[in-house]
């Protein structure tokens, strides 16, 4: 989770954010319900789920908690790999 914060800028270009929508739908949550639980508005959450906008680390953590997934489930190993490459 700490690597996520450290390499957030690199992630923005490399992650398929539709995994979030799939996670929400698998929990049976409508976007309106999820937005309330996460503490953001529907438009913001929709843009995040479609990859038009990227969440800052605190919001990403809240989304993952509500959707019952880990940051790694959504962001995979990109964080460590991208971070390591950026410092070589």
């Amino acid at each position: 989770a700490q690597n996520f914060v450290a390499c957030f800028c690199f992630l923005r270009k490399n992650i398929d954010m539709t995994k979030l929508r799939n996670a929400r739908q698998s929990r049976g949550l409508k976007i309106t319900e999820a937005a309330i639980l996460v503490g953001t508005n529907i438009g913001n959450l929709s843009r995040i789920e479609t990859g038009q906008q990227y969440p800052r680390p605190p919001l990403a953590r809240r989304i993952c908690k509500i959707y019952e997934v880990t940051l790694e489930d959504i962001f995979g190993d990109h964080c460590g790999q991208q971070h390591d490459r950026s410092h070589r």
Side-chain angles (χ1 to χ4, degrees):
Q2 290 177 344
N3 280 346
F4 177 76
V5 175
C7 65
F8 184 68
C9 294
F10 297 105
L11 288 173
R12 298 180 81 160
K13 299 175 185 169
N14 299 305
I15 300 300
D16 176 11
M17 297 302 290
T18 59
K19 291 178 184 180
L20 286 174
R21 176 172 283 166
N22 295 336
R24 173 181 54 79
Q25 290 173 339
S26 73
R27 286 216 47 227
L29 287 172
K30 295 182 181 197
I31 196 162
T32 52
E33 299 166 322
I36 291 167
L37 292 170
V38 169
T40 192
N41 65 59
I42 298 165
N44 188 38
L45 188 55
S46 177
R47 287 186 297 275
I48 290 167
E49 287 186 351
T50 59
Q52 297 172 29
Q53 179 176 318
Y54 296 89
R56 292 182 183 222
L59 181 57
R61 287 187 196 102
R62 287 196 312 268
I63 292 169
C64 288
K65 182 177 180 179
I66 297 300
Y67 290 11
E68 296 180 352
V69 294
T70 66
L71 289 169
E72 290 77 18
D73 291 337
I74 302 302
F75 302 103
D77 291 336
H78 270 295
C79 197
Q81 292 170 1
Q82 291 292 337
H83 186 64
D84 290 345
R85 279 190 219 137
S86 70
H87 286 85
R88 286 185 185 170

